[in-house]
Amino acid sequence: MSYYRPRTSAPPDDEAINPYGQVWLPIAAQIGIVLMIVIAIYLVFRFLTPTLPRTAIQVGDLILALTPFGLWLWFGVRRERLAVQPRTRLLMVAIVTALAANAIAFPLIERIYQVDRWLPLAPTLNRVLGYAFTIGVTQELIKYVVIRYAVWREHFRTRADAIAYGVASAVGYATVLNLQIALTGDANLDIVAIRIFDNLALNIAASILIAFGTAEMRFERPSPFLMPLMLALGAFLTGVVIPLRTGLTNSTFSAQTAINAPSLIFGTAVSLIVLVAIAFPMALLFATADRRQREAAARAP
Amino acid sequence: MTIIEVRSAESTELTQRQRWSHYFTLFYGVIAVVIALNLRDSTLNATRSYVDIQAGIRAAYPQTWIIDTGGASIFRARDMAVAGFKTTIQIAIRPISLSTSTRNLIDILTLTRAQTLAAYRVLSQTTFFLNEVEATELEYTYVSSDDNPFLAAVPIVVRGRDILITRGGQAIIVTFLADANTYEQNLPSFQRFLADLEF
């Protein structure tokens, strides 16, 4: 008697299993390229100290400010179009977040909270709490509200969608901050580049926390306090990182030692460490939750 | 033959947990705004107390300002964190004869300042009651330039407000000086200072 084993063949590519676009790889590529640009500009200005005309600095600042958005369009939006089932509202989320940031968050922080008047000179604990409750909550709440009303539920097909839309809102918000930096001063390219990276990294890190909350809210039955907790964590992250970055970047004044030049690259290192420290555990959490969900679906009758 | 694919339609209704989660998040946002405003006010309006038993003055000046009791005034506090002209609150006491009126005092101040300050102009003069004591408010402006010739800085238009109170044989002159561009923004600090001032 002949026995024929059923012949199985592997799917042709990943797309057959996962029809949705990847999220972590585009984030890594985008952050990696921005980081390389920042380091290159920093090294050029540190060792070659070029003197650029004012117009060139202004144009350079503007190009740098738009670079993260351009890279996100390339790695996030354009690659998404190649997926079998693309995420259709990425650009909308980014633009609406940017508009809300410019129309609500920026005036609220600058005119109502007036953080520049009281926070930089406040004691450390006050600064952490102050930045968390002013800048932190404002930016995370705006990103959350945009995602909640624009895409949450209907456009959340997998947990990765939460990350993709979270990053879209982070890039939109960071672009407004970057444009404010580029258009309101004539700072050198190295300083602007570093601040742009800091804004992008911090916004993406906080958005990953928000994304975890929105994903859990969509696919699981978490406590109703999980989402406000994730928002508070995202805001607290902002509250801690801003004074920490400033403290490490600025030179200290001391009667005993000579005053050193500001160590700008330390701020970038802090931003990168924070982003990696948030992204890796959260990626693990997302992967674990996805696996649990698949196993539960397989066990279901 | 027609094949009809039947899929279980996912409910579009929000669950109770999702709804409450959203409400709690928005509520947290509102609470955070209240906390942020409270933090801002408590930091911006924080004061230190100043007591001068000899002059008989008790005041509360902004916490982050630097106090300076030297010079012609018995009290001077300045906001050293401000770039350019340092916002200043100062108190001076001058002996006067019993026949000296507030009008005489204003004339003396105007004549003295017109000779020492560039482009000194009196803007207004009003009388009011401060802590049930009659006081005169004098608003003026002048141009301040840095004394150091090596600092190539543009002169600053300063706006000032004097509160003149005559008491027995002395005149108390409480002065507020600020860059004309930030005068209105800093005026509440002076108004709080005046409200707490005891003499």
Side-chain angles (χ1 to χ4, degrees):
Chain A
M1 189 176 82
S2 302
Y3 175 70
Y4 295 97
R5 291 172 70 93
R7 296 182 67 182
T8 55
S9 58
D13 51 31
D14 282 351
E15 283 184 349
I17 297 170
N18 182 14
Y20 313 113
Q22 288 184 320
V23 286
W24 294 109
L25 205 61
I27 295 172
Q30 186 191 351
I31 286 288
I33 291 175
V34 175
L35 183 64
M36 280 192 290
I37 292 170
V38 169
I39 291 173
I41 291 174
Y42 175 78
L43 291 176
V44 166
F45 274 80
R46 170 99 178 162
F47 295 108
L48 302 179
T49 57
T51 308
L52 299 175
R54 192 161 172 261
T55 313
I57 290 175
Q58 286 173 334
V59 172
D61 286 352
L62 197 61
I63 291 170
L64 276 175
L66 293 172
T67 299
F69 193 78
L71 286 170
W72 173 76
L73 283 179
W74 183 264
F75 288 107
V77 180
R78 185 188 151 276
R79 280 181 63 92
E80 191 65 41
R81 300 257 160 86
L82 305 176
V84 177
Q85 293 187 30
R87 300 175 182 100
T88 52
R89 293 201 172 182
L90 288 175
L91 199 57
M92 187 193 106
V93 167
I95 290 171
V96 172
T97 308
L99 291 174
N102 199 47
I104 301 167
F106 202 71
L108 185 70
I109 291 165
E110 290 288 308
R111 291 180 204 157
I112 308 290
Y113 293 146
Q114 301 175 16
V115 289
D116 289 342
R117 280 186 67 200
W118 57 282
L119 270 178
L121 297 175
T124 308
L125 184 63
N126 283 19
R127 264 192 294 166
V128 169
L129 290 176
Y131 281 119
F133 281 109
T134 54
I135 295 177
V137 168
T138 306
Q139 71 184 28
E140 297 320 314
L141 190 65
I142 279 182
K143 286 189 274 187
Y144 164 74
V145 168
V146 169
I147 289 171
R148 173 67 176 70
Y149 287 106
V151 288
W152 187 79
R153 221 177 137 82
E154 288 81 12
H155 293 266
F156 273 36
R157 302 154 307 179
T158 65
R159 282 187 167 75
D161 292 339
I163 302 282
Y165 287 116
V167 171
S169 67
V171 170
Y173 198 99
T175 302
V176 172
L177 296 179
N178 295 343
L179 284 173
Q180 294 284 354
I181 294 167
L183 297 175
T184 54
D186 293 335
N188 258 341
L189 291 181
D190 54 340
I191 293 168
V192 171
I194 282 169
R195 289 187 66 187
I196 282 168
F197 178 79
D198 292 346
N199 282 338
L200 182 70
L202 183 57
N203 267 285
I204 289 181
S207 280
I208 289 172
L209 294 173
I210 300 294
F212 181 76
T214 52
E216 287 295 298
M217 232 167 70
R218 169 70 177 84
F219 299 106
E220 298 287 339
R221 286 170 46 82
S223 160
F225 295 106
L226 179 78
M227 193 59 235
L229 180 72
M230 297 316 288
L231 186 77
L233 275 178
F236 183 69
L237 184 73
T238 307
V240 170
V241 170
I242 291 175
L244 181 68
R245 210 167 52 194
T246 313
L248 286 171
T249 301
N250 292 335
S251 53
T252 51
F253 291 93
S254 164
Q256 280 81 34
T257 57
I259 298 165
N260 298 317
S263 309
L264 298 171
I265 208 73
F266 283 156
T268 304
V270 169
S271 302
L272 184 64
I273 289 168
V274 166
L275 177 59
V276 171
I278 296 287
F280 270 98
M282 294 309 287
L284 208 66
L285 273 176
F286 272 91
T288 310
D290 267 339
R291 199 184 62 240
R292 272 208 318 265
Q293 194 179 355
R294 275 200 306 273
E295 286 169 359
R299 278 197 302 270
Chain B
M1 190 176 73
T2 307
I3 298 172
I4 299 169
E5 187 179 354
V6 179
R7 287 183 182 177
S8 60
E10 196 178 8
S11 169
T12 52
E13 282 285 305
L14 288 180
T15 65
Q16 195 82 343
R17 276 171 191 265
Q18 288 171 335
R19 195 172 289 123
W20 278 109
S21 179
H22 182 55
Y23 294 156
F24 283 146
T25 309
L26 295 181
F27 182 67
Y28 171 74
V30 174
I31 293 289
V33 170
V34 174
I35 292 173
L37 291 174
N38 190 41
L39 271 173
R40 182 202 67 175
D41 288 344
S42 61
T43 308
L44 279 178
N45 303 338
T47 55
R48 285 179 200 275
S49 63
Y50 171 82
V51 181
D52 187 334
I53 298 169
Q54 200 176 357
I57 282 175
R58 185 193 295 270
Y61 64 97
Q63 192 176 33
T64 53
W65 292 26
I66 304 293
I67 197 163
D68 167 17
T69 51
S73 54
I74 58 163
F75 166 86
R76 184 170 72 161
R78 293 198 295 169
D79 185 2
M80 301 305 282
V82 176
F85 187 84
K86 310 297 178 202
T87 310
T88 305
I89 294 174
Q90 63 186 37
I91 303 174
I93 294 183
R94 294 192 181 183
I96 54 170
S97 66
L98 289 174
S99 60
T100 306
S101 66
T102 308
R103 178 73 249 175
N104 298 140
L105 200 60
I106 291 169
D107 289 343
I108 293 166
L109 281 174
T110 306
L111 286 171
T112 313
R113 285 171 177 167
Q115 290 167 10
T116 54
L117 301 175
Y120 178 77
R121 297 280 182 282
V122 174
L123 299 177
S124 67
Q125 179 191 327
T126 49
T127 304
F128 71 106
F129 281 90
L130 174 68
N131 299 337
E132 298 177 358
V133 176
E134 189 177 353
T136 304
E137 181 186 285
L138 183 70
E139 279 213 3
Y140 53 90
T141 180
Y142 66 91
V143 174
S144 166
S145 54
D146 205 300
D147 295 336
N148 188 343
F150 296 103
L151 288 176
V154 177
I156 297 165
V157 177
V158 177
R159 199 168 153 193
R161 178 180 288 193
D162 281 349
I163 307 296
L164 309 172
I165 307 143
T166 52
R167 187 182 62 176
Q170 60 183 12
I172 300 170
I173 306 167
V174 187
T175 304
F176 173 64
L177 298 170
D179 187 323
N181 293 322
T182 58
Y183 179 84
E184 293 294 340
Q185 184 187 327
N186 289 308
L187 193 58
S189 300
F190 181 60
Q191 286 166 336
R192 279 193 298 274
F193 179 85
L194 272 185
D196 295 337
L197 182 65
E198 292 175 26
F199 50 89

